[in-house]
Amino acid sequence: MTSWLRFLSGCCALVCAAAPVSANDGMLRLSNDVYLLPGSFVPGAQPDGNSLLLSGDTGWIVFDTGRHVVHARRILAFVDEDLSRVAAIVNSHWHLDHVGGNALIRERFPNARVYASPGIEHALGSWLANYRAQLVAMVDDPKTRAAEREKYRVDIGLIDLGERLLPTEPITRTRNWRIAGRQLRIGLETDAVTEGDLWLYDRGSRVLAAGDLVTLPVPFFDTACPARWSSALAGLEDMPFVRLVPGHGPDLTRDEFTRYRHAFDELLACAASEQTLAQCADGWIAQTGSFYPETEHTRVREMLDYYFSQHLRAEPAQRDRFCTQAPTAG
Ligand SMILES: [Zn+2]
């Protein structure tokens, strides 16, 4: 069971696909030609990851496309307002809250190139297939409430897109790119948050999109190898960015990212120590609490409780199930 399902509770109104969408709805300008569409992560609903939009000379580059239709429609409305098109999609990783809008955007802009790790193909035959089976069982369970059932069907529909979620440009190593006229560096981290995680550094704006290598209010360990994730964060520190856009949560300055990275490493060290969960959660909140409202603290503790029991403090075989490679240096 994923944490996304684990933490769904209370009001479960699905984000309304038919809601009117205005072009600048929720869009934040990070520099003169780079915009952030914040994702949502509210109790009772499945999350959307953040999307970063970069203007290029032949159209927009969209880094991550959210999960829900309304998120992708916001991207399309924004691009329409600009009388432009989507030239390229870059997906940070295969989680549905980052690739869910791909199909809608590609339907509208069939020539858009899709840059992503080929790891999604493996995920479709393994993790996502298992997740789909769980969702189908819950949809079929007569005890499942109608609104919950609808929510599960959204994810089943996304998984059933199958090949339409695959990249046209599989990324298998870190290298520089020129896409839509922009000078980019796309990095590949393996076995960090997922089998293959991409980050994107834009030289023009010095904005770094980190995908779920940085998430708030807590790291999402569902498919992660924590030790390699830590190494990936150390590598990000070497990039000359001035703003970092996480997969979930507000954009961070360099100093804020450094604080996040240290909090991450201390969380792993705490989990490996004799300290209690409450002490570890206190430490995490002390260092990262300014990145989210105080009303989130209860949920932070609940999520860390789940991740400690299911991942960080689970039996070694379970704890390390996504660590298929030796830890990287640093
Ligand atoms: Zn995510």
Side-chain angles (χ1 to χ4, degrees):
M1 180 74 64
T2 75
S3 71
W4 301 333
L5 288 176
R6 167 79 171 66
F7 294 104
L8 294 178
S9 60
C11 164
C12 51
L14 184 66
V15 177
C16 178
V21 172
S22 71
N24 286 309
D25 209 357
M27 201 68 82
L28 304 173
R29 190 178 194 178
L30 297 188
S31 80
N32 63 346
D33 51 6
V34 177
Y35 292 79
L36 166 62
L37 176 59
S40 64
F41 187 38
V42 294
Q46 294 277 51
D48 292 285
N50 290 331
S51 290
L52 188 72
L53 284 78
L54 307 105
S55 178
D57 55 16
T58 57
W60 287 86
I61 301 160
V62 179
F63 184 86
D64 282 347
T65 60
R67 167 190 252 108
H68 296 105
V69 169
V70 71
H71 187 98
R73 288 180 64 207
R74 283 201 177 109
I75 294 170
L76 290 172
F78 185 78
V79 171
D80 275 350
E81 175 91 356
D82 191 43
L83 301 177
S84 185
R85 66 190 189 94
V86 174
I89 294 169
V90 183
N91 290 127
S92 61
H93 62 297
W94 56 260
H95 287 171
L96 298 178
D97 50 332
H98 299 263
V99 300
N102 278 29
L104 201 64
I105 293 174
R106 294 178 75 184
E107 224 166 74
R108 179 73 189 289
F109 299 107
N111 294 327
R113 313 301 291 167
V114 180
Y115 301 78
S117 157
I120 190 168
E121 191 162 5
H122 180 236
L124 280 165
S126 55
W127 199 95
L128 284 170
N130 294 336
Y131 176 51
R132 187 186 187 284
Q134 291 177 27
L135 291 169
V136 168
M138 287 187 287
V139 165
D140 291 345
D141 186 340
K143 295 198 291 295
T144 301
R145 288 177 298 165
E148 295 287 316
R149 195 168 279 133
E150 273 316 298
K151 200 159 40 188
Y152 302 150
R153 284 191 174 124
V154 169
D155 279 5
I156 292 171
L158 291 176
I159 295 166
D160 288 347
L161 289 170
E163 287 190 356
R164 293 165 69 194
L165 293 172
L166 301 183
T168 62
E169 313 293 329
I171 300 287
T172 55
R173 66 185 175 93
T174 298
R175 55 161 280 205
N176 295 332
W177 293 82
R178 189 175 178 90
I179 300 175
R182 289 194 86 97
Q183 306 262 18
L184 307 171
R185 185 163 181 83
I186 298 178
L188 172 69
E189 310 293 340
T190 54
D191 284 0
V193 185
T194 65
E195 185 176 321
D197 301 297
L198 300 192
W199 48 262
L200 177 149
Y201 173 68
D202 176 54
R203 289 186 198 282
S205 63
R206 296 178 66 189
V207 170
L208 174 70
D212 278 4
L213 290 166
V214 178
T215 59
L216 288 161
V218 302
F220 299 163
F221 289 105
D222 304 86
T223 55
C225 176
R228 286 184 61 90
W229 186 346
S230 169
S231 300
L233 290 177
L236 288 188
E237 189 114 45
D238 295 336
M239 300 302 296
F241 65 88
V242 292
R243 306 291 299 181
L244 181 144
V245 174
H248 300 265
D251 59 303
L252 304 177
T253 64
R254 266 199 96 76
D255 287 349
E256 287 170 336
F257 168 70
T258 300
R259 183 144 48 96
Y260 178 92
R261 186 165 89 75
H262 290 148
F264 182 97
D265 285 346
E266 283 175 26
L267 185 69
L268 297 194
C270 196
S273 77
E274 297 295 316
Q275 294 199 66
T276 63
L277 165 69
Q279 287 171 318
C280 296
D282 286 345
W284 174 261
I285 290 170
Q287 294 189 70
T288 64
S290 62
F291 301 145
Y292 41 84
E294 204 172 328
T295 50
E296 285 284 283
H297 288 191
T298 302
R299 187 157 66 143
V300 165
R301 291 180 189 284
E302 287 172 358
M303 294 183 81
L304 290 178
D305 184 8
Y306 169 77
Y307 285 129
F308 269 48
S309 65
Q310 298 300 311
H311 295 267
L312 301 179
R313 285 184 171 169
E315 290 300 313
Q318 185 181 347
R319 183 192 64 202
D320 301 330
R321 62 196 184 279
F322 297 106
C323 297
T324 62
Q325 304 177 46
T328 54

